[in-house]
Amino acid sequence: MSTATDTPSTTPATPPSGSETSTTQTPPATTPQTEASTPGAETSAAAPDGGQGGGQSDAPWQDALPDDLKTNPLFRNYKTPDEAMKAHANLYKVRGVPAERLLTVPDKPQDQAPDDWAPIHKALGVPDDPKDYQIELAPEAAADTPELAEILRELGGKAKFQPSQMTAVIETLNELGQKAAQAEAEARDAETRTVTETLNKEWGAAAEGNRRAIGKLIRDALGGQIDEAAQADLQAKLGSNLTLSRVLAHAIGKMAEPQAPEGAGAATTTRQLTPTAAQAALNAFQGNAEKMAALNNKSHPQHGAVLEERRQLLAQARGEKRPDQVA
């Protein structure tokens, strides 16, 4: 019994043979080759490099498009469909409006017939008929050219002005016309002031009377057919002309100057003057330096004559008859 018990206990202590150790501990040499040849491993290694695994193709993505698009060079510029979609979205954003609101400019504008521009002109609001332009010119703008409005309509029709462009032209012309009229009025006022100062010195006390006589002469010459505004404007223009004012005053004085009969002095007259004519003659008398010198100098040889002349003019200016004509 003891022998049987000892025998099993000594068996494990015996070292294993060399063949048994090699067989138990060495890994199988064929194991890596078996894993590398596994179909699943081959597919996962090849797919990232060229898409050859899993049924994928090398054909460009554009080949999947419809026939009328797949050959379009525009789409060939994009590597992926995502790039094409992004480009389309950006294009729409830049365009900003639907396609029906876009206008196409002719390739060579200078060579195109007017009809090629018709849709553009219509979209911009250019009138079909130049008469449809709304033109309101200030009086100052058209003062020298009454037909200016028609000229502008003709020009707008040829140049195909938009209504806003025509408005800008009209506003500019009105502004220029008003500035020119203001400058002219200021220049005339300055000249009138200069002429007035000169005539006041020359005519002295007769200055105001001469101006009234000139105004009456103008009204009489026009048959009284002139309103107050036109009269004031005409007198202002005359007042800015020194030479004309002198001529008119001299003419009025000559018209109203009493005529002395043969053998009589200057103090006697041959005709009765109206009050207005007598006043004009009195104004001319007072503006005559020689007569005023004789009047103011009792020792002057003509003192008595000019004194009598002045007396008669004063009487007739009051509407009285000359002493020799009293009934």
Side-chain angles (χ1 to χ4, degrees), residues 64-257:
L65 297 174
D67 292 341
D68 59 337
L69 297 179
K70 66 173 58 178
T71 58
N72 191 318
L74 175 64
F75 294 103
R76 295 288 173 176
N77 293 332
Y78 304 106
K79 295 180 180 180
T80 66
D82 288 347
E83 288 186 7
M85 294 301 100
K86 290 180 180 178
H88 177 74
N90 290 334
L91 176 62
Y92 191 86
K93 184 186 298 183
V94 172
R95 189 177 66 184
V97 295
E100 61 270 14
R101 291 182 56 191
L102 295 177
L103 296 174
T104 301
V105 177
D107 293 335
K108 295 181 180 180
Q110 67 277 13
D111 298 333
Q112 302 302 314
D115 290 345
D116 295 327
W117 283 93
I120 298 177
H121 292 153
K122 184 175 182 179
L124 295 176
V126 177
D128 295 332
D129 190 336
K131 294 181 180 179
D132 293 334
Y133 281 115
Q134 301 298 318
I135 297 179
E136 295 183 5
L137 291 169
E140 299 87 350
D144 297 330
T145 312
E147 66 277 11
L148 182 57
E150 293 305 317
I151 294 175
L152 288 175
R153 287 191 175 92
E154 182 178 355
L155 175 62
K158 290 181 179 179
K160 300 300 180 183
F161 281 172
Q162 301 174 38
S164 60
Q165 293 172 327
M166 180 62 79
T167 299
V169 170
I170 295 170
E171 290 177 350
T172 300
L173 289 175
N174 286 342
E175 183 178 351
L176 291 175
Q178 291 168 355
K179 287 183 177 179
Q182 181 179 357
E184 181 180 352
E186 291 175 353
R188 187 169 63 244
D189 289 344
E191 184 66 19
T192 299
R193 287 193 297 270
T194 301
V195 170
T196 299
E197 292 172 0
T198 302
L199 292 177
N200 285 343
K201 292 178 181 179
E202 292 182 2
W203 292 343
E208 188 60 32
N210 282 345
R211 291 189 179 91
R212 287 198 300 269
I214 290 174
K216 185 177 185 308
L217 178 65
I218 294 172
R219 289 192 298 274
D220 292 345
L222 296 175
Q225 302 300 316
I226 183 171
D227 56 33
E228 293 183 1
Q231 171 76 15
D233 181 63
L234 184 57
Q235 286 185 261
K237 292 178 180 178
L238 288 173
S240 63
N241 191 317
L242 181 59
T243 300
L244 183 58
S245 296
R246 286 170 172 167
V247 170
L248 290 175
H250 181 75
I252 291 173
K254 286 296 183 182
M255 290 168 57
E257 185 175 325

Side-chain angles (χ1 to χ4, degrees), residues 41-66:
E42 181 180 354
T43 302
S44 62
D49 294 337
Q52 297 176 355
Q56 295 185 6
S57 173
D58 290 335
W61 68 270
Q62 293 88 344
D63 289 353
L65 297 174

